[in-house]
Amino acid sequence: MDAVVMGNVDYNKNVMEHFRNPRNMGELEDADAEATVGNPSCGDVMKIMIKVKDDVIVDIKFQTMGCAAAIATSSMATELAKSKTLEEAEKISNKDVSLALGELPPIKEHCSNLAADALRKAIEVYRKKTA
Ligand code: FES
């Protein structure tokens, strides 16, 4: 896959496309649950909001203050989680997100943790609220 060099990092075109045109970015006004996670190594932060109906994620949005990989993985994670059941969505791993983007540069693999962790945390918050 062709690469785009940004800073000193080679991103593939799929990562750059999700960075430039992120899906599901913004505020979800009527969210049923939300969670925010930070990456202690770089200080980047991601907030994820979910709307759930009959145990299915019917809407999802994110807000990420972070690097290109953090924004692209947030975009892809929300795409992967949308329309999934909570059980399916909580199984989405950082590797699933990275692979769906066509792999992140090794130095940026840790950036995919933000999205997967935030998604799992938001589901956990939802479960606690509705238990
Ligand atoms: Fe912080 Fe990518 S450098 S998440």
Side-chain angles (χ1 to χ4, degrees):
M1 199 177 285
D2 291 345
V4 177
V5 179
M6 218 168 79
N8 287 328
V9 182
D10 287 354
Y11 289 110
N12 72 44
K13 283 195 169 166
N14 202 19
V15 173
M16 287 310 291
E17 210 283 310
H18 275 266
F19 167 56
R20 291 190 173 124
N21 303 296
R23 293 19 162 215
N24 310 306
M25 189 166 72
E27 188 81 34
L28 188 57
E29 299 290 341
D30 53 350
D32 293 313
E34 63 180 54
T36 301
V37 298
N39 184 333
S41 64
C42 62
D44 290 353
V45 176
M46 180 200 183
K47 176 177 165 185
I48 202 159
M49 296 144 274
I50 56 173
K51 179 106 196 117
V52 181
K53 189 159 191 246
D54 299 329
D55 269 0
V56 172
I57 296 178
V58 291
D59 205 358
I60 183 165
K61 296 262 191 213
F62 79 90
Q63 291 176 321
T64 296
M65 284 180 6
C67 68
I71 290 167
T73 53
S74 301
S75 170
M76 180 54 83
T78 56
E79 282 288 273
L80 291 175
K82 203 181 237 183
S83 304
K84 295 273 193 319
T85 64
L86 295 174
E87 204 174 316
E88 290 166 337
E90 72 189 347
K91 288 187 190 139
I92 295 170
S93 67
N94 56 345
K95 196 69 196 163
D96 293 332
V97 176
S98 171
L99 285 175
L101 284 167
E103 296 273 13
L104 289 168
I107 194 175
K108 288 289 178 180
E109 274 295 334
H110 72 277
C111 306
S112 61
N113 293 348
L114 266 188
D117 288 354
L119 177 61
R120 267 192 299 276
K121 201 167 162 194
I123 292 171
E124 195 183 308
V125 169
Y126 176 80
R127 288 214 161 110
K128 278 189 187 147
K129 268 174 78 175
T130 56

